[in-house]
Amino acid sequence: MSDHVYKKIELVGSSKASVEDAIQNAISSASKSLTHLDWFEVQEVRGHIQDGAVGHYQVTLKVGFRLVD
Amino acid sequence: MSDHVYKKIELVGSSKASVEDAIQNAISSASKSLTHLDWFEVQEVRGHIQDGAVGHYQVTLKVGFRLVD
Amino acid sequence: MSDHVYKKIELVGSSKASVEDAIQNAISSASKSLTHLDWFEVQEVRGHIQDGAVGHYQVTLKVGFRLVD
Amino acid sequence: MSDHVYKKIELVGSSKASVEDAIQNAISSASKSLTHLDWFEVQEVRGHIQDGAVGHYQVTLKVGFRLVD
Amino acid sequence: MSDHVYKKIELVGSSKASVEDAIQNAISSASKSLTHLDWFEVQEVRGHIQDGAVGHYQVTLKVGFRLVD
Amino acid sequence: MSDHVYKKIELVGSSKASVEDAIQNAISSASKSLTHLDWFEVQEVRGHIQDGAVGHYQVTLKVGFRLVD
Amino acid sequence: MSDHVYKKIELVGSSKASVEDAIQNAISSASKSLTHLDWFEVQEVRGHIQDGAVGHYQVTLKVGFRLVD
Amino acid sequence: MSDHVYKKIELVGSSKASVEDAIQNAISSASKSLTHLDWFEVQEVRGHIQDGAVGHYQVTLKVGFRLVD
Amino acid sequence: MSDHVYKKIELVGSSKASVEDAIQNAISSASKSLTHLDWFEVQEVRGHIQDGAVGHYQVTLKVGFRLVD
Amino acid sequence: MSDHVYKKIELVGSSKASVEDAIQNAISSASKSLTHLDWFEVQEVRGHIQDGAVGHYQVTLKVGFRLVD
Amino acid sequence: MSDHVYKKIELVGSSKASVEDAIQNAISSASKSLTHLDWFEVQEVRGHIQDGAVGHYQVTLKVGFRLVD
Amino acid sequence: MSDHVYKKIELVGSSKASVEDAIQNAISSASKSLTHLDWFEVQEVRGHIQDGAVGHYQVTLKVGFRLVD
């Protein structure tokens, strides 16, 4: 890493399956329009409840990517 | 959501299997005595260690539900 | 628990598979050189992104173990 | 205040009008089933957006009340 | 909410009138260029003082909106 | 600990004598109506001042107990 | 702003009317004995409950002012 | 409490004896020059170690007092 | 400052030289594509270690700028 | 203090008697294998409940000591 | 340190040059009217941006000093 | 980074010169007995005051290093 600059954006991914799947959904979405995605940081895990069970996991994460000069 | 009021309670679910399973166990327990369960927020993930491996995941979460007028 | 004293160390486990697997990897590593491992507390979940997908989960956790008199 | 014991519960009040109104709605709801309500502490202010405007304010607050011996 | 992905941006709204007005100003600004605005979360309330009185309320909030596939 | 579920409630104990006594007062109060009390976590220590001295210690704590199936 | 130095003090304003009024009351009080008041930062919003309604809003805020050379 | 305004100052009391004694020392010191002391909030407990034992407890606390009109 | 609205973005600047240089690098990068940059807030200071010395300082900061009407 | 370097470790002391006694137990344990112990910082106070009373206080603290060149 | 009592005040130092210079400016200002200054704790680093570069570093710090009996 | 495990230790470096120098001093000390040092995270910046000026900067940082299998 030389003197690069990175930007962090905040996303919320959701999934009926798992925390990991919600993270992956957010990263897949970000990779559609951004390149040089580098790392993520989970900020919060929450979700909806439906019929006495987890309906969706909702994971807030920050995604860091390198700004191209 | 009109001018409803919600209450949040704090539960700790445990599971030998996974973080998600511990969350589901807590929500299942809450749904036995409460209705209108709406959302959950994970507060903390911890657990016991047994024989050099995870013995139980313990997930503290807040569960929100609507108060019936 | 009588008047025992415990020590907590901070580890980062990584895994391509899941958050739980990263936790287990850190605990397995700790159990190679330490005995009386008792509990863990997740501090942070983050990871690397490769080719638009999660490359590795990196889970920071504190591991508590009893100090032998 | 002698050696009394207090309990704190966590509520979310909502209102289309204002933060203060959301607080008051939560307290009014609590006062239907609880006595000796004493104080509140705002934890979080958030809300829904509808048609480019605030739809509802949602105020999370803790409400403290004295436990009767 | 199916497996949608949301983005959160951070804005600071200001107003001479009230906290609620500052929130509304920020949301109105965001709605000029963004659609699917869904929720907001207040992060901080501060302001300037002029002539021994509140000059402006400045409210930092996060605004969440759904990313269109 | 198998797959049990625990609930945490938040209490404020007060005492003229000491922090420990305020904690004990809150736990004694909780044990009148709850069984399976398991652990407590101190959240805040504060108090009133009277005549240039501590009038009361007020200790906010969370009390965890196992929910009976 | 050249190399000035500022001081921040912590005040609690109270009001029966609103959060904004409690903020203004604290600033008015500070302006009686201090000059160069510049900004405020809200730290906490809480209050007393009387007869099932908000009795007083109590707003803790920091007030910053420039130190005169 | 009508529309009074309060000020909070931050003190560190120390004591060889106990946490409570360090709190009391700080409050005694404040009461020498201030009136209307009303409440305190503990911020931090730390201390020095001497010869393998606690040398001094150092308790940081905020002390709130009413400003006289 | 009238009723303007500001946006805050999160950047990570890096530098082999100093914390200040990493901050400046991030701001220089932001100024290439944004106008009305107004203030920054440091969120985190970290870095890489190479050969027993600091390899790079990495400073996470939020940068605030005014949205043009 | 010239350009010394210090290390901080995290311990949990327990005691049936008091918070202070749990702190002292942790420090006594640390002093068996470490020299130059200098200060401690309390991180958390919690404990077990037995028969409606405090069974053990458990105090998490960081202990700082100077590294010998 | 025997049973002394310390007070902490909160200052904001500013400098065009560096974080360290802003800290020093605040301490120099405090030392004009206070004696027995003992330590400082950095709370926040922020600053103004001018013409795509750091205009001023603004460092908020707490300054502790011993109260004379 | 495959499935490696890392450990984080907490150090306090001090320096009369600058924040960066205090960081470097801590890392230099760690590198005497540890290999595979990888990254650091600044936790706190504080210091002593002597004669109305900064006597020492004291920087608390976490240092992460890879555990060798």
Side-chain angles (χ1 to χ4, degrees):
Chain A
M1 174 176 175
S2 64
D3 289 2
H4 292 310
V5 175
Y6 300 77
K7 185 175 181 180
K8 291 163 73 171
I9 58 172
E10 195 167 16
L11 300 174
V12 184
S14 59
S15 164
K16 292 184 178 178
S18 67
V19 170
E20 283 85 350
D21 198 46
I23 293 171
Q24 181 56 57
N25 284 347
I27 291 173
S28 296
S29 174
S31 67
K32 289 178 186 168
S33 59
L34 295 169
T35 54
H36 300 291
L37 297 182
D38 200 343
W39 82 94
F40 67 92
E41 309 166 18
V42 173
Q43 304 288 299
E44 185 187 39
V45 176
R46 53 191 296 158
H48 280 140
I49 301 173
Q50 292 179 320
D51 301 327
V54 176
H56 274 85
Y57 295 96
Q58 300 168 316
V59 181
T60 302
L61 63 167
K62 294 196 176 177
V63 174
F65 55 98
R66 184 162 59 81
L67 294 176
V68 182
D69 299 320
Chain B
M1 176 176 173
S2 64
D3 289 3
H4 292 310
V5 175
Y6 299 77
K7 185 174 181 179
K8 291 162 73 170
I9 57 172
E10 194 167 17
L11 300 175
V12 184
S14 59
S15 164
K16 293 183 178 178
S18 68
V19 170
E20 285 84 350
D21 199 47
I23 294 172
Q24 182 57 56
N25 284 348
I27 292 173
S28 295
S29 174
S31 69
K32 289 178 185 167
S33 59
L34 294 169
T35 55
H36 301 291
L37 297 182
D38 199 342
W39 82 96
F40 67 92
E41 308 165 17
V42 172
Q43 304 289 299
E44 185 185 40
V45 176
R46 54 192 295 160
H48 281 138
I49 301 174
Q50 292 179 319
D51 302 327
V54 175
H56 274 85
Y57 296 96
Q58 299 169 316
V59 182
T60 303
L61 63 166
K62 294 195 177 178
V63 174
F65 56 98
R66 184 162 59 82
L67 294 177
V68 182
D69 299 321
Chain C
M1 175 175 174
S2 64
D3 288 3
H4 292 311
V5 176
Y6 299 77
K7 186 175 180 179
K8 291 163 73 171
I9 57 172
E10 195 167 16
L11 301 174
V12 184
S14 60
S15 165
K16 293 184 178 177
S18 68
V19 171
E20 285 86 350
D21 199 46
I23 294 171
Q24 181 57 56
N25 284 347
I27 292 173
S28 295
S29 174
S31 68
K32 289 177 187 168
S33 58
L34 294 169
T35 54
H36 301 292
L37 297 182
D38 198 344
W39 82 96
F40 68 92
E41 309 166 18
V42 173
Q43 304 288 299
E44 186 186 39
V45 176
R46 56 191 294 159
H48 281 137
I49 301 175
Q50 292 179 320
D51 302 327
V54 176
H56 274 85
Y57 296 97
Q58 299 167 316
V59 182
T60 303
L61 64 166
K62 292 196 177 176
V63 174
F65 56 97
R66 184 161 60 81
L67 294 176
V68 182
D69 300 320
Chain D
M1 176 175 174
S2 65
D3 289 2
H4 292 310
V5 176
Y6 298 77
K7 185 175 180 179
K8 291 164 72 171
I9 57 172
E10 196 167 16
L11 301 174
V12 184
S14 59
S15 164
K16 293 183 178 177
S18 68
V19 170
E20 284 84 350
D21 199 46
I23 293 171
Q24 181 56 57
N25 284 348
I27 292 173
S28 295
S29 174
S31 67
K32 289 178 186 167
S33 58
L34 295 169
T35 54
H36 301 292
L37 297 182
D38 199 343
W39 82 96
F40 67 93
E41 308 166 18
V42 173
Q43 304 287 301
E44 187 186 38
V45 176
R46 54 192 295 159
H48 281 138
I49 301 174
Q50 292 178 319
D51 302 327
V54 176
H56 273 85
Y57 296 97
Q58 299 169 315
V59 182
T60 303
L61 64 166
K62 292 195 177 178
V63 174
F65 56 96
R66 184 162 59 81
L67 294 177
V68 182
D69 302 319
Chain E
M1 176 174 174
S2 64
D3 289 2
H4 292 311
V5 175
Y6 299 78
K7 186 174 180 179
K8 292 163 73 170
I9 57 171
E10 195 166 16
L11 301 174
V12 184
S14 59
S15 165
K16 292 183 178 179
S18 67
V19 171
E20 284 85 350
D21 199 45
I23 294 172
Q24 181 57 55
N25 284 348
I27 292 173
S28 295
S29 175
S31 68
K32 289 178 186 167
S33 59
L34 295 169
T35 54
H36 301 291
L37 297 182
D38 200 343
W39 82 95
F40 66 93
E41 309 166 18
V42 173
Q43 304 289 299
E44 185 185 39
V45 176
R46 55 192 294 159
H48 282 139
I49 301 173
Q50 292 179 320
D51 301 327
V54 176
H56 274 84
Y57 296 96
Q58 300 168 316
V59 182
T60 303
L61 64 165
K62 293 194 176 177
V63 174
F65 56 97
R66 184 161 59 80
L67 294 177
V68 182
D69 300 321
Chain F
M1 175 176 172
S2 65
D3 288 3
H4 292 311
V5 176
Y6 298 77
K7 185 174 181 179
K8 291 162 72 171
I9 57 172
E10 195 167 16
L11 301 174
V12 184
S14 59
S15 164
K16 293 184 178 177
S18 68
V19 171
E20 284 85 350
D21 198 46
I23 293 172
Q24 182 56 56
N25 284 348
I27 292 173
S28 296
S29 175
S31 68
K32 289 178 186 168
S33 59
L34 294 168
T35 55
H36 301 291
L37 297 182
D38 199 344
W39 81 95
F40 68 92
E41 308 166 17
V42 172
Q43 304 288 299
E44 185 186 38
V45 176
R46 55 192 293 160
H48 281 138
I49 301 174
Q50 291 178 320
D51 302 326
V54 176
H56 273 85
Y57 296 96
Q58 299 167 316
V59 182
T60 303
L61 65 165
K62 293 196 177 178
V63 174
F65 56 97
R66 184 161 60 82
L67 294 177
V68 182
D69 302 318
Chain G
M1 175 176 173
S2 65
D3 288 2
H4 292 311
V5 175
Y6 299 77
K7 186 175 181 179
K8 291 163 73 172
I9 57 171
E10 195 167 15
L11 301 174
V12 184
S14 59
S15 164
K16 292 183 177 178
S18 68
V19 170
E20 285 85 351
D21 199 47
I23 293 172
Q24 182 55 57
N25 283 348
I27 292 173
S28 295
S29 174
S31 68
K32 288 178 187 167
S33 58
L34 295 168
T35 55
H36 301 290
L37 297 183
D38 199 341
W39 82 96
F40 67 92
E41 308 165 19
V42 172
Q43 305 288 299
E44 185 186 38
V45 177
R46 54 192 295 159
H48 281 139
I49 301 174
Q50 292 179 319
D51 302 326
V54 176
H56 273 85
Y57 295 96
Q58 299 168 317
V59 182
T60 303
L61 64 165
K62 293 194 177 178
V63 174
F65 56 97
R66 184 162 60 81
L67 294 177
V68 182
D69 300 321
Chain H
M1 175 178 174
S2 66
D3 289 2
H4 292 312
V5 175
Y6 298 77
K7 186 174 181 179
K8 290 162 74 170
I9 57 171
E10 195 167 15
L11 300 175
V12 184
S14 60
S15 163
K16 292 183 178 177
S18 68
V19 171
E20 285 84 350
D21 198 47
I23 294 172
Q24 182 55 56
N25 284 347
I27 293 173
S28 296
S29 174
S31 68
K32 289 178 186 168
S33 58
L34 295 168
T35 55
H36 301 290
L37 297 182
D38 198 342
W39 81 96
F40 67 92
E41 309 166 17
V42 173
Q43 304 288 298
E44 185 186 38
V45 177
R46 55 191 294 159
H48 281 138
I49 301 174
Q50 292 179 320
D51 302 326
V54 176
H56 273 85
Y57 295 97
Q58 298 168 317
V59 182
T60 303
L61 65 166
K62 293 195 177 178
V63 174
F65 56 97
R66 185 162 59 81
L67 294 177
V68 181
D69 301 319
Chain I
M1 175 175 172
S2 65
D3 289 1
H4 292 310
V5 175
Y6 299 78
K7 185 174 180 178
K8 291 162 73 170
I9 58 171
E10 195 167 15
L11 301 174
V12 183
S14 59
S15 165
K16 292 184 179 178
S18 67
V19 170
E20 284 84 350
D21 198 46
I23 294 172
Q24 182 56 56
N25 284 347
I27 292 173
S28 296
S29 175
S31 68
K32 290 178 187 168
S33 59
L34 295 168
T35 55
H36 301 291
L37 296 182
D38 200 343
W39 81 96
F40 67 92
E41 308 166 18
V42 173
Q43 304 288 299
E44 186 186 36
V45 176
R46 54 191 295 158
H48 281 138
I49 300 174
Q50 292 179 319
D51 301 327
V54 176
H56 274 85
Y57 295 96
Q58 300 168 315
V59 182
T60 303
L61 64 166
K62 294 195 176 177
V63 174
F65 56 98
R66 183 161 59 81
L67 294 176
V68 182
D69 300 321
Chain J
M1 175 176 172
S2 65
D3 289 2
H4 291 311
V5 176
Y6 299 78
K7 185 174 182 179
K8 291 163 73 171
I9 57 171
E10 195 167 16
L11 301 175
V12 184
S14 59
S15 163
K16 293 185 178 177
S18 69
V19 170
E20 284 85 350
D21 198 47
I23 293 172
Q24 182 56 58
N25 284 347
I27 292 172
S28 296
S29 174
S31 68
K32 290 177 186 168
S33 58
L34 295 168
T35 54
H36 301 291
L37 297 182
D38 199 344
W39 81 96
F40 67 93
E41 308 166 18
V42 173
Q43 304 288 299
E44 186 187 35
V45 176
R46 53 191 295 158
H48 282 138
I49 301 174
Q50 291 179 320
D51 302 326
V54 176
H56 274 85
Y57 295 97
Q58 300 168 316
V59 182
T60 302
L61 65 165
K62 293 195 176 176
V63 174
F65 56 97
R66 184 162 60 82
L67 294 177
V68 182
D69 301 320
Chain K
M1 176 176 173
S2 65
D3 289 3
H4 291 311
V5 176
Y6 299 77
K7 186 174 180 179
K8 291 163 73 172
I9 58 171
E10 196 168 14
L11 300 175
V12 184
S14 59
S15 165
K16 293 184 178 178
S18 68
V19 171
E20 284 85 350
D21 198 46
I23 294 171
Q24 181 56 56
N25 284 348
I27 292 173
S28 295
S29 174
S31 68
K32 290 179 187 166
S33 60
L34 295 168
T35 54
H36 301 292
L37 297 181
D38 199 343
W39 82 97
F40 67 92
E41 309 166 17
V42 173
Q43 305 287 298
E44 186 186 37
V45 177
R46 55 191 295 159
H48 280 138
I49 301 173
Q50 292 179 321
D51 302 326
V54 175
H56 273 86
Y57 295 96
Q58 298 168 317
V59 182
T60 303
L61 64 166
K62 293 195 177 177
V63 174
F65 56 97
R66 184 161 59 82
L67 294 177
V68 181
D69 300 321
Chain L
M1 175 176 172
S2 64
D3 289 3
H4 292 311
V5 175
Y6 299 77
K7 185 174 181 178
K8 291 163 74 172
I9 57 171
E10 195 167 16
L11 300 175
V12 184
S14 60
S15 164
K16 292 183 178 178
S18 67
V19 170
E20 285 85 350
D21 199 46
I23 294 172
Q24 182 56 56
N25 285 346
I27 292 173
S28 296
S29 174
S31 68
K32 289 178 187 166
S33 58
L34 295 169
T35 55
H36 301 291
L37 296 182
D38 199 343
W39 82 95
F40 67 91
E41 310 165 18
V42 172
Q43 305 288 299
E44 186 185 38
V45 176
R46 55 193 295 159
H48 281 137
I49 301 174
Q50 291 178 320
D51 300 327
V54 176
H56 273 86
Y57 296 95
Q58 300 167 316
V59 182
T60 303
L61 64 165
K62 293 195 177 179
V63 174
F65 55 98
R66 184 162 59 81
L67 294 177
V68 182
D69 300 320

